[in-house]
């Protein structure tokens, strides 16, 4: 883990840039809470090549940094619960070995939605946000699939680079 | 794309469909009941209200489990009582002698 410090740093910074870039992309059917989830590419790549533990480390570091840079304690709470929920679901679905990157990506998107809606329910003290979950699920299929396809293209290439680096 | 991925997408899509249909249905059911006399609204309640309401003009309307019926009327023909139960959006019971209209609205 020590030797990979630089690598993790690079991944965290790429994740940060992805979050920043995503702020410029506005989806045509703007409903609050719907995001492309570019960061998930980074998390997926990390999950496949260094491993699940690294993915947890990179994701949590990223959430804390983004929260400190652009948000406040409240936004940290939202994104942390979303990120953790997504990570647990993704890690579990990777372990089962029946999903490809696309499936894991979709599950990650759904996990994000679940985590954030749970916090929203606790904060707003209402169950009505469940209806909103349906809208988010539609978005999760679309964004999850596109991010998954991208990750599927990227992961083998990153692996080649890493193997060359080891030699 | 593995088979499990396709199953996952299909499962989420069907979940969306089911919840969507459920929301649509529950929206249609949850309406209000309006009781008016001579064109003026005298009483309004939710359709899920349980109990009965007596108007000043000689009618008793019963509401239970989303079903509405006129259970008593002082008019001679009692057509409104014979009409039975209404429960769907837009349906109404009209008691002409007493100028009373009971209607289910959204």
């Amino acid at each position: 883990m020590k030797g990979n410090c630089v690598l993790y740093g690079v991944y965290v910074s790429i994740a940060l840039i992805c979050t920043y870039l995503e702020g410029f992309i506005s989806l045509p059917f703007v409903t609050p809470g719907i995001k492309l989830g570019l960061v998930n590419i980074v998390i997926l790549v990390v999950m496949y090549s260094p491993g699940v533990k690294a993915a947890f480390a990179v994701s949590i570091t990223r959430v804390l940094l983004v929260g400190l840079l652009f948000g406040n304690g409240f936004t940290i709470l939202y994104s942390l619960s979303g990120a953790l929920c997504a990570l647990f679901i993704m890690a579990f679905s990777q372990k089962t070995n029946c999903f490809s990157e696309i499936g894991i990506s979709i599950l990650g998107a759904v996990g994000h939605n679940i985590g954030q809606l749970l916090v929203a329910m606790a904060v707003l003290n209402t169950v009505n946000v469940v209806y909103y979950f349906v809208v988010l699920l539609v978005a999760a299929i679309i964004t999850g699939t596109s991010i998954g396809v991208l990750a599927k293209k990227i992961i083998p290439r990153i692996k080649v680079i890493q193997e060359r680096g080891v030699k | 794309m593995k088979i499990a991925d396709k199953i996952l997408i299909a499962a989420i899509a069907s979940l969306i469909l089911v919840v969507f249909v459920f929301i649509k249905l529950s929206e249609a059911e949850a309406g209000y009941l309006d009781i008016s006399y001579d064109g003026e609204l005298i009483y309004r309640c939710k359709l899920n209200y349980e109990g009965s309401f007596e108007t000043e003009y000689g009618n008793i309307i019963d509401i239970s489990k989303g079903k509405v019926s006129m259970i008593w009327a002082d008019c001679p023909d009692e057509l409104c009582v014979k009409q039975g139960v209404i429960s769907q959006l837009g349906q109404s019971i009209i008691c002409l002698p007493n100028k009373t209209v009971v209607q289910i609205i959204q």
Side-chain angles (χ1 to χ4, degrees):
Chain A
M1 191 134 178
K2 254 184 197 169
N4 286 331
C5 234
V6 178
L7 187 66
Y8 291 179
V10 171
Y11 279 132
V12 169
S13 53
I14 296 173
L16 274 177
I17 291 167
C18 282
T19 312
Y20 185 66
L21 281 179
E22 215 176 59
F24 295 114
I25 303 169
S26 55
L27 294 174
F29 28 84
V30 185
T31 315
I34 291 181
K35 273 189 187 172
L36 192 51
L38 275 178
V39 182
N40 236 16
I41 298 180
V42 182
I43 303 300
L44 273 169
V45 168
V46 176
M47 259 178 88
Y48 272 90
S49 48
V52 172
K53 273 185 193 168
F56 268 86
V58 169
S59 183
I60 292 168
T61 315
R62 179 219 135 227
V63 166
L64 292 179
L65 280 176
V66 168
L68 290 173
L69 284 172
F70 308 117
N72 50 44
F74 205 65
T75 54
I76 292 181
L77 189 68
Y78 264 101
S79 35
L80 196 63
S81 71
L84 279 178
C85 203
L87 275 168
F88 276 116
I89 291 177
M90 282 159 77
F92 181 75
S93 55
Q94 196 197 24
K95 270 244 166 74
T96 58
N97 223 1
C98 29
F99 295 105
S100 76
E101 293 87 338
I102 297 168
I104 294 174
S105 170
I106 295 172
L107 282 169
V110 174
H112 260 278
N113 295 342
I114 294 173
Q116 295 191 338
L117 277 182
L118 283 179
V119 174
M121 271 192 220
V123 171
L124 301 173
N125 208 0
T126 171
V127 200
N128 288 339
V129 285
V130 168
Y131 295 123
Y132 192 55
F133 183 56
V134 186
V135 182
L136 292 182
L137 272 183
V138 178
I141 290 188
I142 300 165
T143 59
T145 309
S146 38
I147 295 296
V149 169
L150 274 174
K152 206 175 181 178
K153 299 265 182 220
I154 293 170
I155 287 166
R157 289 169 169 78
I158 296 264
K159 269 189 181 157
V160 169
I161 296 170
Q162 279 184 339
E163 276 160 22
R164 270 187 207 154
V166 171
K167 278 172 194 171
Chain B
M1 215 187 219
K2 289 187 183 177
I3 293 171
D5 294 338
K6 286 172 187 169
I7 295 173
L8 176 73
I9 293 176
I12 295 176
S14 47
L15 179 71
I16 292 167
L17 209 69
V18 166
V19 176
F20 186 74
V21 167
F22 179 76
I23 290 172
K24 273 282 163 217
L25 285 179
S26 59
E27 264 177 5
E29 274 172 20
Y32 287 90
L33 181 74
D34 271 6
I35 300 171
S36 51
Y37 172 75
D38 204 9
E40 282 195 47
L41 187 67
I42 52 171
Y43 185 72
R44 170 176 281 183
C45 68
K46 282 225 166 155
L47 205 50
N48 56 11
Y49 173 83
E50 297 279 338
S52 57
F53 176 71
E54 185 173 2
T55 69
E56 294 169 38
Y57 315 101
N59 291 94
I60 300 177
I61 295 112
D62 183 62
I63 309 149
S64 84
K65 291 170 188 163
K67 292 187 164 82
V68 183
S69 57
M70 191 80 82
I71 53 173
W72 179 80
D74 66 356
C75 57
D77 57 18
E78 291 195 343
L79 279 175
C80 48
V81 179
K82 287 173 191 154
Q83 197 186 332
V85 176
I86 59 168
S87 61
Q88 297 297 312
L89 183 69
Q91 282 187 315
S92 58
I93 300 174
I94 300 166
C95 180
L96 265 184
N98 290 344
K99 297 180 186 171
T100 303
V101 177
V102 180
Q103 190 171 25
I104 296 174
I105 57 156
Q106 215 156 18

